Amino acid sequence: MARIFHISGRPTWLEIDLDAIEHNFQHARNAVAPGVALYPVVKANGYGLGVLPIAKRLLACGAYGLCIATIEEAIQLRAAGISQPLILLSGLSADIAEQVAAYHLQPFVFDLSHIHPLSRAARHHPITFFLKVYTGMGRFGLLPEQLPEALQLIRTLPGLSLAGLVSHLACSDQPDHPDNSRQLHNLQQLLIQSGMSHGQTSLANSGAILSRPDTHFSWVRPGIMLYGASPFFPHNHGSQIGLKPVVSWYTRIQQIRSLPTGSGVGYGQTFVTQRPSRIAILPVGYADGYNRLLGNRAQVLLQGQRIPVVGRVSMDSIAIDTTELSEVAIGAPVTLLGRDQEEEITAEEMASWCSTIPYEIFTNLGERVAKYPVSSCCS
């Protein structure tokens, strides 16, 4: 159950278990061969969970560096004193090349037009970078026929240090999908053709780390698995593959209403009581990241029992039907995500209720929800 934090203002908060983060990191490390480096993905504010405590714990337990998506994320990490390599996954554009140099970032480059601006920015600060090559995902990447031109251009321009080739798997959540082997073959061919077989090559994300050792190369990029959710969802949950849940989400009962039979609840009156009912109001809504699709579908945990969410999710509140409980009090803690006694709501279960994936559950968690790093040993 929730630790009792002193929550000023709106009593809706997250607890982020840093010990579970470390456990999941070690699980990734155990899946790769000695010498394969781990660069955890902490983009989007650590998948919405608060990047700084997570990044510092990951680096303390052996991460070589971190993967991010934006310059703003890099600035935040550097300002916090993080000096380890930061890999800019989302690539480069001419207007951020100077910042890439100033903050000592290692970008993915996937367009020929980005190489000249990178060299100009590297006149005072040499830049190490990766060429992202197209192997079949249908998104970013230099086409195979562009690779010789890119390599020749890099050789002629000052200040640039090409670390290696990278690509990204489209179907790593389905280990047996034929596209995984096809993309692996395409990357292997490009490495041979470019003469970069001994470079710092990366292809594997969470799913491939756990299921495709032939894709591990020099370094890997664990993401969703670090945060406790399965990269193979909906085929399994994190706990079924040795991961520990990281996120617990709590709120407190704000108001209790006793309503007669036939009373509507919330916008559109999409829930109507079929008996005299005790409806509790919780101060959490879609502005906090509690998906609007959870209305009339989700459950919460109260007193170790599953309680249905009734009516539509509002911007700032939801309603739950507590009629089956013998006693309910204003201020009682309610678990939206996590464990209460023998019951647990996982990110995968919440994702299934709104037909999405755990990534979206985490990254949609609102800025106004307080986030507290904790240790599971203190639970």
Side-chain angles (χ1 to χ4, degrees):
M1 192 56 196
R3 277 164 291 275
I4 304 301
F5 284 99
H6 175 70
I7 309 294
S8 60
R10 218 157 153 265
T12 299
W13 73 99
L14 297 174
E15 296 181 15
I16 311 303
D17 188 340
L18 298 181
D19 290 345
I21 289 271
E22 180 168 349
H23 168 89
N24 298 336
F25 175 84
Q26 298 298 344
H27 194 62
R29 196 211 298 272
N30 292 339
V32 301
V36 175
L38 275 69
Y39 285 76
V41 182
V42 297
K43 63 181 179 177
N45 192 29
Y47 282 43
L49 308 183
V51 67
L52 291 181
I54 291 170
K56 291 177 179 179
R57 175 60 73 93
L58 288 167
L59 291 168
C61 63
Y64 281 75
L66 304 168
C67 294
I68 57 174
T70 68
I71 284 291
E72 291 75 16
E73 292 168 356
I75 293 171
Q76 181 185 11
L77 292 170
R78 292 295 191 228
I82 290 173
S83 60
Q84 287 88 345
L86 298 180
I87 295 178
L88 189 62
L89 298 177
S90 59
L92 190 71
S93 58
D95 59 327
I96 66 168
E98 294 289 343
Q99 290 174 297
V100 165
Y103 289 101
H104 303 286
L105 309 184
Q106 299 180 20
F108 283 6
V109 172
F110 46 76
D111 194 295
L112 285 170
S113 67
H114 297 164
I115 297 174
H116 275 290
L118 198 66
S119 177
R120 289 193 293 270
R123 63 191 180 277
H124 300 304
H125 302 282
I127 296 175
T128 298
F129 68 102
F130 296 87
L131 280 180
K132 187 169 188 178
V133 291
Y134 181 85
T135 57
M137 186 170 183
R139 297 195 317 188
F140 306 113
L142 288 170
L143 295 173
E145 58 268 27
Q146 294 178 303
L147 185 56
E149 181 182 353
L151 293 173
Q152 177 60 31
L153 185 58
I154 291 164
R155 283 192 289 267
T156 64
L157 294 175
L160 301 181
S161 175
L162 176 58
L165 304 186
V166 297
S167 196
H168 193 64
L169 291 169
C171 301
S172 67
D173 59 332
Q174 305 168 66
D176 297 326
H177 197 290
D179 278 356
N180 293 320
S181 295
R182 189 175 300 119
Q183 284 192 257
L184 173 60
H185 172 76
N186 291 342
L187 180 57
Q188 289 169 328
Q189 291 301 113
L190 290 172
L191 288 168
I192 294 169
Q193 293 167 17
S194 65
M196 297 198 67
S197 296
H198 300 293
Q200 298 177 34
T201 306
S202 182
L203 180 62
N205 54 6
S206 291
I209 289 169
L210 296 176
S211 67
R212 293 293 302 252
D214 53 347
T215 67
H216 291 175
F217 290 102
S218 310
W219 60 281
V220 296
R221 314 186 297 263
I224 192 65
M225 67 176 296
L226 297 174
Y227 306 98
S230 172
F232 309 117
F233 175 80
H235 305 294
N236 57 39
H237 288 204
S239 61
Q240 295 171 304
I241 56 172
L243 303 176
K244 289 187 176 181
V246 169
V247 186
S248 298
W249 191 3
Y250 302 109
T251 189
R252 295 182 188 277
I253 293 175
Q254 190 173 38
Q255 190 174 52
I256 299 171
R257 292 277 187 200
S258 294
L259 299 179
T261 302
S263 298
V265 176
Y267 286 118
Q269 306 283 272
T270 60
F271 176 82
V272 178
T273 59
Q274 302 300 303
R275 59 182 176 177
S277 300
R278 187 196 303 115
I279 305 298
I281 308 301
L282 309 180
V284 61
Y286 58 77
D288 304 293
Y290 199 81
N291 198 300
R292 192 169 181 269
L293 293 174
L294 294 170
N296 292 314
R297 297 184 187 180
Q299 298 170 333
V300 301
L301 304 181
L302 176 59
Q303 299 176 17
Q305 297 186 46
R306 286 177 172 260
I307 305 297
V309 174
V310 295
R312 287 181 180 166
V313 174
S314 300
M315 184 179 291
D316 307 310
S317 64
I318 61 174
I320 60 174
D321 186 350
T322 67
T323 309
E324 295 294 330
L325 298 178
S326 60
E327 186 176 338
V328 178
I330 290 175
V334 177
T335 302
L336 307 170
L337 186 63
R339 177 174 291 277
D340 182 358
Q341 300 179 42
E342 300 305 313
E343 289 286 353
E344 183 177 18
I345 294 172
T346 65
E348 289 94 341
E349 184 176 19
M350 184 175 282
S352 69
W353 287 331
C354 42
S355 301
T356 187
I357 54 178
Y359 296 81
E360 187 175 13
I361 298 299
F362 293 152
T363 58
N364 281 353
L365 292 168
E367 286 299 315
R368 71 184 188 181
V369 181
K371 300 171 178 67
Y372 293 92
V374 300
S375 293
S376 53
C377 63
C378 302
S379 297

